[in-house]
Amino acid sequence: MTEKLNVVESNLAASSKKQEHIEKNIKKQNLKVFHLLVDDDKHETQTETETKIIDAVNNQLVLSEDENSFDFAYRLPGKSVQRPVLIKCTYMKTRERILSAFRAKRKAGAELTFRVGEDLPEYVMKSRSKLYAFFKECIDQGKNAFFRSDQLVVDGVKYIYDDTTKQPIAVNDNDI
């Protein structure tokens, strides 16, 4: 019985890893736009949402219309009036261009009325939120720090959040 349980557990773990990989690949070309204003009418159509995204990207990020092509954009479900907008970009280059332009404007201190972020799987978002305080601390110390998937890379060293010790720990590629 123990042997069968071990086989089932290993199959479940492999299946979970495969599911995470599939979800990450599906969301790879997506962006989320936060704080995009909604008119008083709460029944905004998808076409109106797409038009607002195009206007915001063209005017505030100064990208031309051919540089921001996307398959669709729609508001995600939720109770808030300012629901985020999910954009499915046509090409990865388009996604990177929009994200890079947003980050450059924000770094330059430009006044933007919206925020652009990656569409990440839930496990990646949870991991990043736990590592954020350490990330901020590293940036304040002048270290080169950035997120890669659910890991934080600081000066070439990868960190993950350990739930048992409640702190970031350095890992090797073999540990993951």
Side-chain angles (χ1 to χ4, degrees):
M1 196 63 125
T2 305
E3 221 174 276
K4 284 185 178 182
L5 181 61
N6 288 340
V7 169
V8 168
E9 285 177 346
S10 67
N11 287 342
L12 179 62
S15 180
S16 294
K17 283 282 187 194
K18 194 177 212 180
Q19 178 67 28
E20 287 174 359
H21 180 71
I22 290 169
E23 183 180 5
K24 192 162 72 173
N25 282 335
I26 288 172
K27 292 181 172 218
K28 192 184 287 188
Q29 286 183 248
N30 298 348
L31 289 173
K32 282 186 180 177
V33 178
F34 301 91
H35 310 297
L36 189 68
L37 294 176
V38 179
D39 297 331
D40 292 335
D41 180 17
K42 293 181 184 177
H43 301 290
E44 181 178 84
T45 66
Q46 184 174 347
T47 306
E48 292 170 336
T49 303
E50 290 173 357
T51 303
K52 284 182 182 181
I53 290 289
I54 290 170
D55 289 345
V57 169
N58 289 348
N59 296 333
Q60 293 186 43
L61 299 183
V62 195
L63 293 175
S64 64
E65 201 161 326
D66 61 324
E67 289 181 307
N68 62 23
S69 62
F70 50 85
D71 289 336
F72 59 82
Y74 64 90
R75 292 213 182 257
L76 294 171
K79 296 177 182 174
S80 170
V81 175
Q82 294 292 343
R83 297 174 295 149
V85 176
L86 180 73
I87 301 174
K88 172 106 171 123
C89 295
T90 307
Y91 305 105
M92 282 297 291
K93 287 182 180 182
T94 302
R95 176 193 179 274
E96 291 305 317
R97 214 174 288 124
I98 292 171
L99 198 55
S100 295
F102 170 76
R103 288 176 176 163
K105 288 279 188 180
R106 186 181 63 189
K107 201 173 232 182
E111 288 288 325
L112 299 171
T113 60
F114 62 93
R115 188 172 64 82
V116 178
E118 298 173 274
D119 183 25
L120 300 169
E122 190 172 334
Y123 79 95
V124 174
M125 290 187 334
K126 284 181 181 179
S127 178
R128 285 185 179 191
S129 68
K130 291 175 182 176
L131 289 167
Y132 186 76
F134 182 57
F135 167 73
K136 196 76 169 149
E137 182 181 311
C138 292
I139 293 294
D140 291 343
Q141 293 173 3
K143 296 180 179 179
N144 181 22
F146 58 91
F147 286 104
R148 179 175 291 146
S149 187
D150 59 340
Q151 302 170 0
L152 176 63
V153 180
V154 180
D155 292 335
V157 179
K158 294 178 183 176
Y159 290 87
I160 61 169
Y161 189 81
D162 184 26
D163 285 321
T164 55
T165 62
K166 305 283 188 218
Q167 63 184 13
I169 58 169
V171 293
N172 297 324
D173 287 330
N174 301 339
D175 297 338
I176 301 172

